[in-house]
Amino acid sequence: MNKWNPTTMKWLKIVHLILVALFFGGIMSSVALNFGMSLHEYEETLDSYQAMVLISDQIVRIGAVGTLLVGFVYGIFTSWGFFKHRWITVKWVLFLIQTLIGIFIVDKLMVANMEMIETLHAQALTNPAFIQNHEIRQYAVIVQIGITLFIIAISVIKPWKKKKSS
């Protein structure tokens, strides 16, 4: 595998860190909005859900897709590969799990609740399905945050790293 020069690798790492910051910052912003809103105030809930949809569509998604693409670049065009180190494989598996949670739980429930708010207006706030979606989404986002923090930790610590033979 061709190795890129150190300057190119540094720029790739910078892009990777910016995209991870977008992804993680978007998730953290979303969780702050989710926990900070009062489900007793229609306008506040509507504004918070609109902001969460915007953050999801414009920040989290860009960070996630960008991170995925940079990960492919690392795996294909550098000596890191996809399976050369166990910690990299674990990162890929966790990123996949996190992405599936984001698509099939967090976003799905957010969109469902946004639709209820738009159609039922203030009545949505007392709808049991709305409340349940909101709570499940909160827990799913916490799981995403935990996974992200673990991915960051293993990226720095690089556990399970193959030891060089002396």
Side-chain angles (χ1 to χ4, degrees):
M1 182 65 53
N2 292 336
K3 287 189 176 185
W4 288 2
N5 68 52
T7 303
T8 303
M9 290 299 291
K10 287 178 184 175
W11 279 107
L12 185 61
K13 185 181 260 187
I14 289 168
V15 170
H16 182 64
L17 291 172
I18 290 168
L19 291 166
V20 169
L22 284 173
F23 179 70
F24 191 58
I27 292 172
M28 293 301 291
S29 299
S30 179
V31 79
L33 285 167
N34 208 56
F35 279 104
M37 77 176 81
S38 169
L39 292 182
H40 303 293
E41 301 292 330
Y42 170 72
E43 290 297 326
E44 179 184 336
T45 304
L46 174 64
D47 291 345
S48 294
Y49 266 90
Q50 288 173 334
M52 286 189 296
V53 169
L54 183 66
I55 290 167
S56 177
D57 291 348
Q58 302 300 319
I59 305 294
V60 175
R61 193 164 291 146
I62 289 168
V65 170
T67 300
L68 179 66
L69 294 176
V70 169
F72 282 130
V73 169
Y74 268 115
I76 295 169
F77 299 109
T78 73
S79 61
W80 287 103
F82 292 101
F83 306 105
K84 186 175 178 181
H85 302 281
R86 198 171 303 135
W87 65 273
I88 293 175
T89 305
V90 170
K91 280 179 61 171
W92 274 105
V93 170
L94 291 174
F95 185 78
L96 176 64
I97 291 168
Q98 180 182 47
T99 301
L100 294 174
I101 290 170
I103 293 169
F104 295 109
I105 299 174
V106 175
D107 284 355
K108 182 179 174 187
L109 296 176
M110 177 182 63
V111 168
N113 275 6
M114 190 67 215
E115 289 173 358
M116 279 191 253
I117 291 170
E118 290 173 338
T119 57
L120 300 174
H121 303 286
Q123 292 175 345
L125 305 183
T126 58
N127 184 309
F130 179 90
I131 295 166
Q132 182 180 20
N133 288 350
H134 184 78
E135 290 174 355
I136 292 170
R137 185 179 184 281
Q138 285 178 324
Y139 295 121
V141 171
I142 290 170
V143 169
Q144 281 189 303
I145 290 168
I147 291 172
T148 302
L149 292 173
F150 187 69
I151 289 172
I152 291 169
I154 64 174
S155 296
V156 173
I157 298 168
K158 296 174 181 58
W160 320 297
K161 193 173 180 179
K162 291 181 182 177
K163 298 193 188 251
K164 293 182 181 180
S165 302
S166 309

